[in-house]
Amino acid sequence: MAKKKFDREQILSFLELIEAITLTESYQKTLEKLLEKTAEVLDVQQGCILLANPKNSEELVIECAFEQKARPKGHRINLTLTAHPNLYKAIFQNAVFVRKGGPEEDVEQVLYIRLQTEEFLGVMVFGAKGEKKEFNPDDILIAQAISHLAIASIQHGRIIEKNERLKTIISERMSLADEIRNPLMSAGGFAKRAFEKLNSGESGIDPKILEYLKRALKNYQRVENLLGELLKTK
Amino acid sequence: MAKKKFDREQILSFLELIEAITLTESYQKTLEKLLEKTAEVLDVQQGCILLANPKNSEELVIECAFEQKARPKGHRINLTLTAHPNLYKAIFQNAVFVRKGGPEEDVEQVLYIRLQTEEFLGVMVFGAKGEKKEFNPDDILIAQAISHLAIASIQHGRIIEKNERLKTIISERMSLADEIRNPLMSAGGFAKRAFEKLNSGESGIDPKILEYLKRALKNYQRVENLLGELLKTK
């Protein structure tokens, strides 16, 4: 089956794919670009990347879809695959599998490539139709290499998202800590005034002193509440 | 010059490289694996990845080196290229360049591939020696694709490092905030005792009251200092 040499055009467009995805700036754009370029490399006219919902790995959601004729680039739809148990089982059992005929009548073959690390990330799907009748062994080899690039892109995107979440945590905590400043200064100020009054040597207790201390204590309470908020587990 | 088809063995080992680098767990290991596999793909026996020092882009440091015979896998050395101005200039001017003869007598050709995004990241260097006399156009095309994978790995590694730094910031800030708890409770406790004493209706001023307030104020000061520390720009 295997040819002695790889088709030059196919490899060149595969090399182009690699360049294209390392130059895109956002996670979403990277996957769209990867899908679009894979369609070129495999010479197919439709494809999509389905990602497992991290909260429910039984559910697959279309992350991006590409169909040269019917859908505009980057068109997004949501779809669960749990309604198709046989397909779902096949994806879980096979790193790569090809089935005859697709969801549409004119699709000759459908190629599924599982995206798998320690966890199941999702699946890439491509349909052969029109002039493209089948996926040959070289298509499948290259599609598998592309699936590794997809995995790397997904992982990179997730790390970037995590990064953004950490930055948000820092900025939220910092603004909480900043809110502590005012009541703290206020509490300290009132306590200081109470002390000075008492320390001035006047006999008898000025009722203002009690008022100052009341306010100091009220502000303490606020500082404590804010600190409790700040220290809450992330 | 260009062949009609790509060499099958070369492409297969290139596809293997892609799989290998997406499966390694750490940044350093990824680059080492990439270098080792590139040596296979290009059929060379020595190579290294030099990264620009982020603090001084005029300085290049060997991140990892590979020489099948002389050096064990993953051997690390530090080396600056500023001592070689012509080479340095060539790297800055050319995305890819090949020069005849290498630093060692038996090296026939040296291939340099610049790692460049918006910033200059570094350079990959490979030496052809022994049976390998020269780098052909396909070697160079594939080497360029590999350089994009190297860039992606470097960027991914940096994001992971940044992530770790953010986590450290969060944990440091949290332990600082935690330190605020004690002096704050202490300040509040003393202010409360002073208030209760004053509020008990006894005439005359118990000297303890002043002592309490002094302590409360001292603790306020500590809380303020800690908060100042916490709010310092990162």
Side-chain angles (χ1 to χ4, degrees):
Chain A
M1 279 278 270
K3 291 178 283 183
K4 274 272 160 63
K5 302 263 183 174
F6 272 100
D7 180 76
R8 186 162 195 89
E9 287 310 310
Q10 185 168 37
I11 296 300
L12 285 177
S13 72
F14 175 57
L15 298 181
E16 248 177 54
L17 175 150
I18 293 172
E19 180 165 1
I21 64 164
T22 55
L23 291 179
T24 53
E25 67 278 19
S26 82
Y27 170 44
Q28 181 58 36
K29 277 196 182 162
T30 301
L31 284 188
E32 274 167 24
K33 188 59 106 178
L34 181 127
L35 193 63
E36 182 194 324
K37 288 279 174 187
T38 305
E40 274 177 35
V41 173
L42 299 180
D43 189 26
V44 294
Q45 300 200 327
Q46 54 175 209
C48 65
I49 296 175
L50 297 155
L51 294 187
N53 179 347
K55 283 164 196 155
N56 170 15
S57 74
E58 304 246 318
E59 188 183 87
L60 293 174
V61 180
I62 289 194
E63 175 69 19
C64 46
F66 181 82
E67 188 167 3
Q68 283 182 338
K69 280 173 198 158
R71 280 183 208 134
K73 230 187 275 178
H75 177 78
R76 300 188 71 174
I77 52 168
N78 285 329
L79 174 101
T80 61
L81 267 189
T82 35
H84 312 273
N86 286 337
L87 184 54
Y88 195 67
K89 207 173 148 196
I91 291 169
F92 268 102
Q93 281 174 347
N94 303 284
V96 177
F97 79 104
V98 179
R99 67 165 181 172
K100 289 229 158 105
E104 289 158 52
E105 273 176 30
D106 59 342
V107 174
E108 305 273 348
Q109 278 193 342
V110 187
L111 170 64
Y112 299 83
I113 310 135
R114 195 175 50 177
L115 303 172
Q116 176 87 42
T117 57
E118 293 113 59
E119 52 173 344
F120 170 66
L121 295 181
V123 62
M124 296 179 82
V125 186
F126 295 96
K129 59 193 256 187
E131 282 175 40
K132 177 92 182 176
K133 300 281 182 224
E134 56 164 21
F135 294 100
N136 65 46
D138 282 359
D139 287 337
I140 290 170
L141 273 175
I142 291 168
Q144 274 192 283
I146 291 172
S147 77
H148 292 293
L149 297 173
I151 288 168
S153 299
I154 292 163
Q155 287 177 326
H156 189 62
R158 290 190 176 168
I159 282 281
I160 287 173
E161 274 170 18
K162 199 173 174 190
N163 216 294
E164 292 308 314
R165 280 202 300 280
L166 291 174
K167 279 185 196 163
T168 306
I169 287 173
I170 290 176
S171 105
E172 280 172 2
R173 299 279 166 96
M174 284 308 99
S175 71
L176 259 173
D178 204 53
E179 278 182 51
I180 290 178
R181 215 195 268 276
N182 273 337
L184 182 68
M185 279 174 70
S186 181
F190 283 119
K192 195 160 175 257
R193 277 155 84 179
F195 175 77
E196 281 163 359
K197 270 276 184 209
L198 283 167
N199 205 30
S200 65
E202 293 169 28
S203 66
I205 297 163
D206 188 330
K208 270 188 189 159
I209 296 170
L210 285 173
E211 185 54 32
Y212 290 158
L213 285 175
K214 255 190 209 164
R215 290 197 188 175
L217 291 168
K218 208 173 147 192
N219 277 294
Y220 267 131
Q221 199 50 56
R222 272 192 68 198
V223 176
E224 267 174 30
N225 292 346
L226 284 165
L227 191 66
E229 196 74 28
L230 180 67
L231 289 170
K232 251 193 219 160
T233 51
K234 44 177 168 173
Chain B
M1 278 281 270
K3 291 179 283 182
K4 274 270 158 62
K5 302 262 184 176
F6 272 100
D7 179 76
R8 186 161 195 89
E9 286 310 309
Q10 185 169 38
I11 296 300
L12 286 176
S13 72
F14 175 56
L15 298 180
E16 248 177 54
L17 175 150
I18 293 173
E19 179 164 1
I21 64 164
T22 55
L23 292 179
T24 53
E25 66 279 18
S26 82
Y27 170 45
Q28 181 58 35
K29 277 196 182 162
T30 301
L31 284 189
E32 273 167 23
K33 187 59 101 177
L34 181 127
L35 194 63
E36 183 193 323
K37 288 280 174 186
T38 306
E40 274 176 36
V41 173
L42 299 180
D43 189 26
V44 294
Q45 301 200 326
Q46 55 175 211
C48 64
I49 296 176
L50 296 155
L51 294 186
N53 180 347
K55 283 165 197 155
N56 170 16
S57 74
E58 304 247 317
E59 189 182 87
L60 292 173
V61 181
I62 289 195
E63 176 69 18
C64 46
F66 181 81
E67 188 168 6
Q68 284 182 336
K69 279 173 194 157
R71 280 184 208 135
K73 233 185 279 181
H75 177 79
R76 301 187 68 172
I77 52 167
N78 286 329
L79 175 100
T80 61
L81 268 189
T82 35
H84 312 274
N86 286 336
L87 185 53
Y88 196 66
K89 207 174 149 196
I91 291 170
F92 268 101
Q93 282 173 347
N94 302 283
V96 178
F97 80 105
V98 179
R99 67 165 182 171
K100 290 230 157 106
E104 289 158 49
E105 273 176 31
D106 59 344
V107 174
E108 305 274 348
Q109 277 193 340
V110 186
L111 170 64
Y112 298 83
I113 310 135
R114 196 175 49 178
L115 304 172
Q116 177 88 42
T117 58
E118 293 114 61
E119 52 172 344
F120 170 66
L121 295 181
V123 62
M124 295 179 82
V125 186
F126 296 96
K129 58 193 258 185
E131 280 174 39
K132 176 91 179 176
K133 299 281 184 224
E134 56 164 21
F135 294 99
N136 65 46
D138 283 358
D139 287 338
I140 290 170
L141 274 175
I142 292 169
Q144 273 191 284
I146 291 172
S147 77
H148 292 293
L149 297 172
I151 288 168
S153 300
I154 292 163
Q155 287 176 328
H156 189 63
R158 289 189 178 169
I159 282 282
I160 287 174
E161 273 171 19
K162 200 173 173 190
N163 217 294
E164 293 306 313
R165 279 202 301 278
L166 290 174
K167 280 185 194 163
T168 307
I169 287 173
I170 290 176
S171 105
E172 281 173 1
R173 300 276 167 97
M174 284 306 100
S175 71
L176 259 172
D178 204 56
E179 276 181 54
I180 289 178
R181 216 194 265 277
N182 273 338
L184 182 67
M185 281 174 69
S186 182
F190 283 120
K192 195 159 175 256
R193 277 156 85 178
F195 176 77
E196 282 163 0
K197 269 276 185 209
L198 282 167
N199 205 29
S200 64
E202 293 169 30
S203 65
I205 297 163
D206 189 330
K208 270 187 189 161
I209 296 170
L210 286 173
E211 186 55 31
Y212 291 156
L213 285 175
K214 255 190 208 165
R215 290 197 188 175
L217 290 169
K218 208 171 147 192
N219 277 295
Y220 267 131
Q221 200 48 58
R222 271 192 68 199
V223 176
E224 267 175 28
N225 292 346
L226 284 166
L227 191 66
E229 196 74 29
L230 180 67
L231 289 169
K232 251 193 221 160
T233 51
K234 43 178 169 169

